[in-house]
Amino acid sequence: MKKSLAGLVVLLAMGMTARSQVKIGFEVSFKEPQAHYAEVEMNISGLNKEYVDVKMPVWAPGSYLVREFAKQVEGFNASAAGKSLKFEKVRKNIWRVHLAKAAAVKINYRVYAFEISVRTPFIDDTHAFLSSTGIFMYPEGMLHLPSTVKIVPFKGWDKVSTGLEPVSGKKFTYRAADFDILFDSPIEVGNQDVFEFKAAGVKHEVAMYGGGNYDAARLKTDMAKIVEKATAVYGENPNKHYTFIVHNYEKSGGGLEHLNSTVLGASRNQYNTEKGYLGFLSLVAHEYHHLWNVKRLRPVALGPFDYDNENYTTNLWVAEGFTAYYENKFMLRAGFISPEVFVQTLAKAVSDVENTPGAKIQSAAASSYDAWIKYYRPNENSNNTGVSYYSKGEVVGLLMDLEIAKATGGTKSLDDVMKAMYLQCKTLKRGYTDAEFKTMVEKISGISFTDFWAKYVNGTQETAYGQYFGYAGIKVRNENEGKSTAYLGIASVKKEGRIFISAVSRHSAAWVDGLNVNDELIGVDGIPAELGVEKSASILGKKPGDIIQVDVIRDGFKKTIPVTLKANPNINLLAVADENASPEQLKVRAAWMGK
């Protein structure tokens, strides 16, 4: 037995030694950036096998859709010692290279990159944005191995911005401890404007591409405030350095989180208006909170990642929804919005969810699980069949926060749950299950959340907004209550001077009486459609129960469809602080809003 164990140890040690000798390096250059191409060279040495499979990820963590990055790869070839090696494609994203006893192989391929988004590579003659999952391949079974990346900028480009660690003494060369880190580290190459600030003891670099009317000094001050408020919730900032890559276009938006960086989309001329500037800071607050929530405090399914397939979780309502909720809290705590704006913003969030017909069909947990097939693939009926885990999760976060503060007399809040779950994930070195998250909420609050989970996480219960806002002494009024406004229930879009129905709301008058998406609207009761439909005089002068005649063209045929109008079912919440709130309510409010 002892000899067998000793032999096993020797074999394992030999295997580990052989594996540790494998070295992986990349070089990325740009021969034709104007045509949107990156040239990638991948070198693998220390191999001792018949063949190696190299794989391109099919999705980017943080964006839950299979995007098939391999479709943009061309010109794949492999060689050893200057001689070509045989290779074959064995799966949609796998190339098998036959080594012919070679211990080292050089692989070259090109990537076409011409989709502007925070999650996909984009290259032109002004810069290169390398979203790593769409650029780099990895050898099968070697995700855990380190690699280096050398960037060769195009002529005239002189800057590289990334969260990757630089290799000492080698310009524009970086290292990743494993492929999870490489795939979580976007790279910006070009002539971006770079400025820095320090907050929470961490150096932050901001790389601005595309110009804009921003004030760098103001941004450094205000972004630092958000960093400090976010860090205060968790008690520590887990990074040594952090990189913001900001793409300023004429019109842009959105963001994608990474382990120690983020990519933000912005409109270059939004910074000199209050709405535009606060919108950008809200995006910063959202993506920076992901540094904890989802990157470290994460659902168990989200890491280590399977880059070949979907990674399912029912907890995106926490990962994204709570992050949407906290961006409001950070904006309040940093002093960028008033308590009144904070409260009304969340009241509107509740209204938006309650006014979504699909919120009565799909739960927060189901929305999370189906992100792969629904959220990123919306159609004309999506509003009727589902709800965003961002918006529903934001509302669940609001309710949970108020419930915890109420149960603890204002001594605890959702902040305490988030910090405790972050520390738990850090200690266990893995993500959490839904049951573990619920257990922590109950531990912090001291009450059962079984009924809450059944109603708001796994169920489709209407939000008891009056009750929950009331915990904090906030009075909520539905501005539409008591009104009987005629409602048709369609959305429309104008194309080349013609108006088409783009959506029909579930159970509305249009739904019941048969108006269809893609119907061309000609008129309502003889009034031309270009004068408006929902707001046209013919409807404003009608009451629920009245019948209107809607003229449409469907598949080339003109039809007149009688529609019996219904009452507008939507709510419009107005929330204000009660000046006569009790001491108990004020304690809940203080715990909810924080410092």
Side-chain angles (χ1 to χ4, degrees):
M1 177 68 75
K2 289 183 179 179
K3 289 183 178 180
S4 298
L5 288 173
L8 180 59
V9 169
V10 171
L11 287 173
L12 288 173
M14 290 174 63
M16 292 176 65
T17 300
R19 186 168 290 184
S20 66
Q21 291 174 346
V22 174
K23 294 184 178 180
I24 304 168
F26 295 92
E27 181 175 294
V28 184
S29 59
F30 310 94
K31 293 180 180 177
E32 296 181 296
Q34 83 291 346
H36 321 298
Y37 279 94
E39 317 294 327
V40 183
E41 179 178 304
M42 180 183 189
N43 287 282
I44 312 172
S45 63
L47 296 169
N48 183 20
K49 53 200 304 186
E50 292 183 9
Y51 63 83
V52 61
D53 286 343
V54 289
K55 310 171 73 171
M56 177 72 84
V58 304
W59 70 290
S63 181
Y64 307 101
L65 176 69
V66 171
R67 297 184 181 275
E68 311 292 18
F69 293 120
K71 68 185 178 183
Q72 306 293 13
V73 173
E74 62 182 72
F76 185 98
N77 65 78
S79 62
K83 295 182 179 180
S84 296
L85 294 176
K86 177 185 176 182
F87 68 88
E88 56 189 320
K89 198 169 185 181
V90 296
R91 195 175 182 266
K92 64 180 181 180
N93 66 322
I94 302 176
W95 288 259
R96 176 165 294 171
V97 179
H98 297 273
L99 297 173
K101 297 183 179 181
V105 59
K106 180 170 73 172
I107 295 168
N108 295 89
Y109 57 92
R110 310 182 80 202
V111 177
Y112 179 73
F114 195 56
E115 179 183 348
I116 295 177
S117 82
V118 296
R119 63 191 70 88
T120 51
F122 179 85
I123 301 167
D124 67 9
D125 60 352
T126 64
H127 79 130
F129 170 58
L130 307 180
S131 180
S132 297
T133 48
I135 295 292
F136 300 107
M137 297 185 184
Y138 66 96
E140 172 74 43
M142 301 184 196
L143 280 171
H144 64 289
L145 293 183
S147 61
T148 60
V149 176
K150 179 182 179 181
I151 303 296
V152 182
F154 188 63
K155 59 182 179 182
W157 298 354
D158 60 9
K159 294 177 184 174
V160 175
S161 299
T162 181
L164 287 170
E165 297 294 332
V167 174
S168 180
K170 296 185 178 181
K171 190 175 182 180
F172 300 145
T173 303
Y174 306 87
R175 66 177 179 273
D178 55 46
F179 276 89
D180 284 326
I181 290 178
L182 177 59
F183 291 148
D184 210 13
S185 302
I187 304 170
E188 176 70 20
V189 188
N191 297 307
Q192 59 270 22
D193 178 26
V194 177
F195 56 87
E196 297 179 353
F197 65 90
K198 193 169 186 178
V202 177
K203 186 185 81 171
H204 293 73
E205 176 183 308
V206 183
M208 287 282 198
Y209 164 77
N213 57 8
Y214 58 86
D215 180 337
R218 184 185 182 193
L219 279 176
K220 286 193 284 187
T221 298
D222 291 345
M223 292 171 75
K225 292 178 182 178
I226 292 172
V227 169
E228 296 285 358
K229 292 303 179 182
T231 303
V233 170
Y234 296 94
E236 64 181 30
N237 195 303
N239 287 322
K240 295 180 180 178
H241 57 86
Y242 189 92
T243 302
F244 292 93
I245 296 174
V246 185
H247 291 153
N248 293 294
Y249 290 100
E250 182 178 8
K251 292 182 180 180
S252 186
L256 187 65
E257 69 277 3
H258 297 282
L259 194 65
N260 69 338
S261 63
T262 186
V263 184
L264 308 178
S267 298
R268 65 172 60 95
N269 294 317
Q270 76 178 77
Y271 299 95
N272 64 351
T273 67
E274 182 181 19
K275 181 180 179 181
Y277 188 67
L278 292 181
F280 178 75
L281 291 181
S282 292
L283 179 60
V284 169
H286 182 104
E287 298 304 333
Y288 200 80
H289 187 218
H290 276 313
L291 189 160
W292 295 273
N293 190 27
V294 89
K295 298 314 301 182
R296 292 166 177 86
L297 158 59
R298 60 176 176 79
V300 69
L302 298 184
F305 294 112
D306 176 355
Y307 294 102
D308 289 338
N309 303 288
E310 295 89 341
N311 291 227
Y312 292 102
T313 175
T314 58
N315 290 109
L316 293 181
W317 59 273
V318 176
E320 287 292 356
F322 280 22
T323 304
Y325 173 59
Y326 266 89
E327 72 183 68
N328 299 303
K329 297 188 79 166
F330 295 150
M331 290 292 285
L332 171 68
R333 294 173 182 178
F336 298 124
I337 61 174
S338 66
E340 292 76 17
V341 170
F342 172 74
V343 169
Q344 186 54 40
T345 297
L346 292 172
K348 184 180 184 304
V350 173
S351 296
D352 290 344
V353 168
E354 293 302 304
N355 293 339
T356 301
K360 300 174 179 63
I361 304 296
Q362 186 184 51
S363 70
S367 176
S368 300
Y369 196 84
D370 283 343
W372 297 91
I373 59 173
K374 290 192 174 183
Y375 183 76
Y376 287 98
R377 292 172 175 164
N379 62 26
E380 68 284 346
N381 200 40
S382 292
N383 210 45
N384 292 320
T385 62
V387 63
S388 163
Y389 48 82
Y390 284 84
S391 55
K392 185 60 182 289
E394 181 178 16
V395 171
V396 174
L398 165 68
L399 303 184
M400 189 178 292
D401 204 359
L402 289 167
E403 188 76 87
I404 294 168
K406 170 71 163 51
T408 61
T411 62
K412 301 289 183 182
S413 72
L414 188 58
D415 289 9
D416 297 284
V417 173
M418 299 301 281
K419 181 178 180 179
M421 288 305 300
Y422 163 68
L423 294 175
Q424 176 177 301
C425 289
K426 179 180 177 181
T427 300
L428 298 178
K429 297 181 180 180
R430 64 166 176 81
Y432 61 83
T433 66
D434 184 74
E436 287 174 334
F437 197 92
K438 177 175 176 288
T439 296
M440 185 62 76
V441 172
E442 293 176 332
K443 179 181 178 180
I444 297 293
S445 66
I447 62 174
S448 171
F449 266 76
T450 297
D451 187 54
F452 183 99
W453 240 255
K455 288 180 178 178
Y456 299 120
V457 176
N458 298 318
T460 57
Q461 179 86 22
E462 291 185 6
T463 305
Y465 51 83
Q467 170 190 335
Y468 283 93
F469 276 115
Y471 291 161
I474 304 296
K475 296 188 293 186
V476 183
R477 181 176 73 252
N478 176 14
E479 294 285 89
N480 289 344
E481 189 172 357
K483 298 178 181 179
S484 185
T485 306
Y487 178 72
L488 182 57
I490 66 167
S492 60
V493 61
K494 195 169 187 177
K495 297 178 183 178
E496 298 180 351
R498 301 156 67 190
I499 299 173
F500 296 87
I501 296 176
S502 57
V504 178
S505 185
R506 184 183 291 270
H507 300 318
S508 67
W511 171 286
V512 171
D513 289 325
L515 291 178
N516 288 181
V517 168
N518 296 328
D519 283 350
E520 182 184 353
L521 285 166
I522 304 303
V524 179
D525 280 355
I527 296 177
E530 60 263 23
L531 298 181
V533 181
E534 286 283 16
K535 297 181 180 180
S536 67
S538 64
I539 292 181
L540 288 174
K542 301 287 185 179
K543 303 182 298 296
D546 289 346
I547 299 174
I548 59 174
Q549 305 296 322
V550 182
D551 296 322
V552 303
I553 293 178
R554 182 182 299 169
D555 191 31
F557 295 100
K558 186 174 180 180
K559 297 172 65 94
T560 297
I561 301 174
V563 178
T564 302
L565 295 171
K566 290 188 171 189
N568 187 350
N570 293 330
I571 64 172
N572 180 22
L573 297 184
L574 178 66
V576 295
D578 186 351
E579 296 179 356
N580 299 313
S582 68
E584 291 75 14
Q585 289 174 316
L586 292 177
K587 288 179 181 177
V588 171
R589 190 187 301 173
W592 171 41
M593 294 187 180
K595 297 179 180 179

